[in-house]
Amino acid sequence: MEKEVNRREVLRCMSWIGTGLIWTVAGGVPVSRLLGGPKEATSDFSFVQISDSHIGFSKPANPDVTSTLQLAVEKINAVSAAPDFTIHTGDLTHLAKPAEFDGMDGILQGLRPKEIFFVPGEHDVTGDDGKTYLERYGKKTQGRGWYSFEHKGIHFIGLNNVAQLEGMGQLGADQLAWLAKDVKGLSASTPIVVFAHIPLWEVYPDWGWGTKDGAEALSHLRRFGSVTVLNGHIHQTVQKVEGNVTFHTAMSTAFPQPMPGKAPAPGPMKVPAGELRHVLGIAEVTFAAGKHSLAVMDQPLEAA
């Protein structure tokens, strides 16, 4: 489905703006800001999240997704302090064709630094049940592409919630058992960052924007003092804080989708000619919530 929206509507919804987020981890707490936004004075390290590049897509909503991904790479590389690595939260390609993966890899080779961590989107496993994706990006993963790693005291967990896709996302019993085992020996003070394609909470179940067994996965993480969950899939920013868990979905580098329930169905949303780059964040924009810049911080809903 493609729907025309006007520029005022797009700019009013600042959550669509941006091709990527730069994440700073200071004192063990991940904080995000839009690329080009105000920079934190000090930090322990930073990383970048990008999502939903859909290389191979060529419909009117964006007939040249390679160019907008390239612009995202250039914007990331322009950050004064180079991030430690990049996370891509899925839908690297549109139809999981080898040539599409090749095209995406060619563009992302221009990133600095070179290290990139991936999780698959549903478009990356279409046609061959994820075989091509796993051959390229799953050599050091478990099962159908899940894994974890440590970086400067932070425990990162990459999940696959698209392999058993039936409406909403699903992790499955094997992956849930692995997750429980993976975090069992960690101290409750260990900061956790989880990344997967489909949101782990129910953003909008009528459109499949959620994960059926996401609550079970999160039950294994409730004891940790700082948990940040990064997702893509819905091509817009939605944030939620629940206890010590902060949820954040990223915008796409390819095309926007409608806000939940604001269209008959989800899908690529066409914007007026000349406005696509504004929607994808070529302009440097700061999203303000109250008096604060765009930031996702692990904190309770109410003070103790």
Side-chain angles (χ1 to χ4, degrees):
M1 187 218 71
E2 297 189 0
K3 178 183 177 182
E4 291 276 358
V5 296
N6 61 43
R7 184 170 187 265
R8 181 176 296 177
E9 289 172 334
V10 171
L11 295 179
R12 185 170 63 239
C13 184
M14 292 295 188
S15 61
W16 292 341
I17 304 298
T19 59
L21 294 174
I22 183 157
W23 288 83
T24 299
V25 180
V29 179
V31 180
S32 73
R33 62 182 172 85
L34 284 174
L35 291 170
K39 183 181 178 181
E40 296 295 321
T42 61
S43 65
D44 295 329
F45 75 93
S46 64
F47 64 95
V48 169
Q49 178 194 6
I50 58 177
S51 196
D52 295 273
S53 299
H54 286 272
I55 298 302
F57 180 88
S58 60
K59 295 182 180 180
N62 185 356
D64 191 1
V65 294
T66 58
S67 291
T68 49
L69 179 58
Q70 180 62 50
L71 287 169
V73 168
E74 293 171 2
K75 199 170 185 69
I76 292 167
N77 288 345
V79 175
S80 57
D84 283 20
F85 56 83
T86 299
I87 285 176
H88 196 302
T89 46
D91 279 354
L92 291 65
T93 68
H94 197 60
L95 295 174
K97 296 180 178 179
E100 294 175 354
F101 285 113
D102 289 343
M104 189 215 62
D105 286 340
I107 296 170
L108 294 187
Q109 283 178 0
L111 275 171
R112 65 176 179 94
K114 299 296 184 182
E115 191 167 26
I116 308 173
F117 296 94
F118 298 98
V119 288
E122 75 277 11
H123 285 266
D124 301 317
V125 301
T126 185
D128 66 354
D129 199 28
K131 180 181 178 181
T132 301
Y133 172 88
L134 288 175
E135 287 175 348
R136 289 179 179 245
Y137 313 108
K139 291 182 174 62
K140 296 181 180 180
T141 65
Q142 305 289 317
R144 302 182 72 177
W146 51 85
Y147 61 102
S148 64
F149 64 93
E150 306 286 333
H151 188 78
K152 297 184 179 179
I154 314 298
H155 189 71
F156 288 81
I157 304 171
L159 300 176
N160 178 351
N161 57 358
V162 301
Q164 303 181 50
L165 192 63
E166 298 176 1
M168 292 203 300
Q170 188 172 351
L171 295 163
D174 290 347
Q175 189 169 193
L176 288 168
W178 170 86
L179 175 61
K181 183 178 179 181
D182 181 67
V183 301
K184 185 177 181 180
L186 297 177
S187 166
S189 63
T190 303
I192 305 291
V193 175
V194 181
F195 56 105
H197 181 61
I198 299 174
L200 288 186
W201 86 103
E202 296 186 359
V203 176
Y204 198 68
D206 288 350
W207 285 358
W209 287 4
T211 300
K212 289 181 181 179
D213 46 8
E216 185 175 352
L218 293 169
S219 71
H220 299 302
L221 306 175
R222 296 294 182 188
R223 69 183 180 88
F224 294 97
S226 170
V227 179
T228 302
V229 181
L230 308 179
N231 303 117
H233 187 58
I234 69 173
H235 295 219
Q236 59 195 278
T237 297
V238 176
Q239 301 180 70
K240 175 185 177 181
V241 178
E242 188 176 294
N244 291 330
V245 182
T246 295
F247 302 89
H248 188 99
T249 62
M251 63 291 293
S252 168
T253 68
F255 51 82
Q257 290 202 70
M259 296 178 68
K262 299 299 183 181
M269 186 174 66
K270 184 179 179 181
V271 296
E275 297 298 337
L276 180 61
R277 292 186 176 187
H278 296 289
V279 175
L280 297 178
I282 303 309
E284 294 187 350
V285 180
T286 298
F287 171 71
K291 296 182 179 180
H292 301 284
S293 298
L294 174 64
V296 180
M297 301 186 68
D298 296 316
Q299 54 184 326
L301 293 176
E302 295 182 358

